[in-house]
Amino acid sequence: MDRIHIRGGIPLRGEIEISGAKNAALPLMAASLLSDEPLILKNLPRLADIASMADLLTGLGVEIKLNGDNGNGGRTAELSAKHVTETTAPYDVVRKMRASVLVLGPLLARFGKARVSLPGGCAIGTRPVDLHLQAFEQLGAEIELAEGYIEARAPGGLTGAHVIFPMVTVGGTENLLMAASLAKGETVIGNAAREPEIADLARCLIAMGAEIEGAGTDTLRVQGCDALYGAQHQVLPDRIETGSYAVAAAITGGDIVLRNTRLDLLETATETLVRAGVTVEETSDGIRVAGTGGRLKGVDLMTEPFPGFPTDMQAQFMALMAVADGASMITETIFENRFMHVPELCRMGADINVHGSSAIVRGVERLSGAPVMATDLRASISLILAGLAAEGETIVNRVYHLDRGYERVEDKLAACGADISRQAE
Ligand code: EPZ
């Protein structure tokens, strides 16, 4: 397993190209199952999770051609589900990447059956998929759980219904939106998630011939079609990668221009940075973020579904608040166990106390470098960010977590002056 070594204290200056969004690319790749014509996706990021989804789809019989760069560093892939031979997503693939459950809706809608391993939990929580399954039952599917697998059948096809999610679920909204695109009649999705990745998926499905209204709102109205067609779609920029590097600029007192991204994708996160004293400006193709050089102010935040503060930015912001002037209360409302970065940050000298779903962070003057352990994707980047600001050397172990969601993180940060390298253990 690789390790990342960082010597902190250097203000980062330069430009970072933001990659396509992991959490948009994954459902978009699953959407290829909805048609027997090729779906061409541009600006795909080079990430372990994307490779896992490609492996899963190939195992189902989807032909995938990965072409070269399409200009701005992203990759183009052509996915053709003309000859799907399999409708089972096996345990050994699903356990590596929970988003595999997103093939359930498309398989059920197009082939009338699907057998998908229950994803199981992960480090940040139990991550159930009960809301996905209840939604499919409302569209007429028969769902059975047996031997750790979801057995779903809809031999006569799915029938549209009015589904109201009892809580906001990004994956549940995506799975249902894809299934509803091929159901008979109208499906209304109430209390739908509003994350930009959902609007991106809706745009792609519409390009494939789906009839969807309300993208970006909490109510989606879908008129089911008999078939969907081939299309081309550009994956939207990764707002969490954008926010993570914005924190890198802020925590080192540097000045970074983030390219190929959009301010409107993460306004609550950038507004929170501004409240802490960070300079954030919109540029022609992205955002410029500059630290003040002095200490930032401690600010409170609570994670919420979009457009609230993103849970995927909570760990990164905690690293920033660890060196702010004053206290910050950070409340995690989405996942039940998303504070695993806390003990590792405390080993670097942070003063953080967790009380249930809230953490009180009392800023310290400087963190000190230390060997630390990555436990999950966003905790990993939080430790990298802390290492960039810490005095001395930080060694982050188990960086395979990092590679699931950050493309070439050491290259992008080194290009802005960071003393960072990856070493094989
Ligand atoms: C997506 O996960 C993202 N993953 C997560 O990003 C992100 O943190 C999360 O949305 C919230 O924004 C992808 O898009 C691949 P949810 P998802 O369904 O869809 C509960 C990252 O770091 N719930 O919105 O799994 C669930 O337990 C990852 O990139 C149910 O109870 O999230 C959680 O508490 C981490 N039953 C809450 O809802 C269900 O059937 C939100 O989950 C579904 C969800």
Side-chain angles (χ1 to χ4, degrees):
M1 281 187 270
D2 292 353
R3 283 180 179 156
I4 284 191
H5 291 241
I6 304 162
R7 278 205 169 281
I10 303 166
L12 301 189
R13 287 192 175 74
E15 288 193 358
I16 291 180
E17 293 267 334
I18 296 300
S19 305
K22 164 178 84 82
N23 291 351
L26 294 170
L28 288 167
M29 291 172 77
S32 65
L33 289 164
L34 290 165
S35 169
D36 61 3
E37 295 181 8
L39 174 61
I40 294 174
L41 296 176
K42 291 175 175 288
N43 196 31
L44 273 181
R46 292 171 179 73
L47 297 170
D49 272 9
I50 302 301
S52 300
M53 180 60 86
D55 290 347
L56 170 59
L57 292 172
T58 305
L60 299 175
V62 176
E63 289 159 56
I64 300 181
K65 286 184 218 142
L66 262 185
N67 309 325
D69 284 4
N70 50 251
N72 60 359
R75 269 185 304 178
T76 297
E78 181 180 300
L79 301 98
S80 169
K82 191 175 176 65
H83 303 298
V84 168
T85 52
E86 190 48 72
T87 55
T88 293
Y91 171 69
D92 66 338
V93 174
V94 176
R95 73 183 169 82
K96 277 189 289 193
M97 191 194 54
R98 312 180 66 279
S100 309
V101 74
L102 294 172
V103 302
L104 182 56
L107 287 172
L108 188 57
R110 179 145 169 248
F111 302 102
K113 62 178 182 172
R115 183 169 181 270
V116 176
S117 169
L118 272 166
C122 75
I124 64 176
T126 52
R127 312 288 297 275
V129 291
D130 55 321
L131 302 181
H132 301 228
L133 305 183
Q134 287 162 21
F136 293 135
E137 285 176 328
Q138 283 188 252
L139 268 61
E142 293 147 28
I143 305 282
E144 235 182 283
L145 302 184
E147 297 151 24
Y149 277 78
I150 302 160
E151 308 268 0
R153 277 180 301 283
L158 296 171
T159 306
H162 190 156
V163 178
I164 300 179
F165 280 117
M167 64 189 291
V168 172
T169 162
V170 170
T173 302
E174 290 164 343
N175 233 338
L176 178 55
L177 181 60
M178 289 190 281
S181 301
L182 287 181
K184 291 185 202 64
E186 179 179 72
T187 297
V188 177
I189 306 176
N191 198 22
R194 296 166 53 191
E195 274 65 6
E197 292 74 29
I198 302 216
D200 202 45
L201 174 62
R203 269 191 298 276
C204 179
L205 293 171
I206 290 166
M208 294 169 72
E211 293 179 36
I212 300 170
E213 289 168 14
T217 74
D218 65 359
T219 304
L220 299 171
R221 195 174 290 274
V222 188
Q223 303 303 331
C225 303
D226 295 336
L228 293 184
Y229 307 99
Q232 283 205 34
H233 182 78
Q234 167 104 356
V235 178
L236 97 164
D238 193 316
R239 62 193 168 96
I240 305 302
E241 185 191 21
T242 305
S244 303
Y245 290 127
V247 171
I251 203 168
T252 60
D255 188 336
I256 299 178
V257 174
L258 303 169
R259 316 240 4 239
N260 290 328
T261 189
R262 294 177 5 217
L263 183 60
D264 68 295
L265 295 173
L266 70 164
E267 278 178 329
T268 307
T270 47
E271 279 157 16
T272 309
L273 284 173
V274 170
R275 275 195 293 132
V278 180
T279 302
V280 177
E281 285 162 10
E282 191 160 22
T283 62
S284 57
D285 72 344
I287 309 172
R288 175 179 165 255
V289 182
T292 55
R295 285 180 76 187
L296 298 171
K297 223 158 59 62
V299 291
D300 296 344
L301 72 91
M302 177 183 283
T303 65
E304 292 173 303
F306 193 89
F309 189 96
T311 175
D312 294 348
M313 277 296 301
Q314 179 259 103
Q316 298 90 314
F317 207 83
M318 189 180 287
L320 183 64
M321 292 294 97
V323 290
D325 182 9
S328 156
M329 179 146 100
I330 296 179
T331 303
E332 172 58 56
T333 70
I334 307 292
F335 291 109
E336 66 267 31
N337 188 33
R338 205 170 199 176
F339 283 142
M340 281 170 302
H341 40 286
V342 169
E344 297 304 305
L345 289 171
C346 291
R347 297 189 60 248
M348 298 175 72
D351 177 357
I352 307 170
N353 287 292
V354 174
H355 300 274
S357 62
S358 289
I360 306 283
V361 185
R362 292 182 178 82
V364 297
E365 190 85 27
R366 291 284 283 174
L367 294 174
S368 54
V372 289
M373 183 76 74
T375 50
D376 60 86
L377 170 56
R378 305 304 174 182
S380 321
I381 195 70
S382 155
L383 298 173
I384 298 262
L385 294 168
L388 290 170
E391 201 150 9
E393 184 178 45
T394 296
I395 300 171
V396 182
N397 294 285
R398 295 194 183 169
V399 288
Y400 60 86
H401 289 292
L402 198 64
D403 296 336
R404 297 190 49 186
Y406 289 90
E407 183 176 336
R408 298 178 298 110
V409 61
E410 65 274 17
D411 298 347
K412 294 189 176 185
L413 288 171
C416 292
D419 179 346
I420 182 170
S421 62
R422 176 186 293 253
Q423 294 171 26
E425 264 185 51

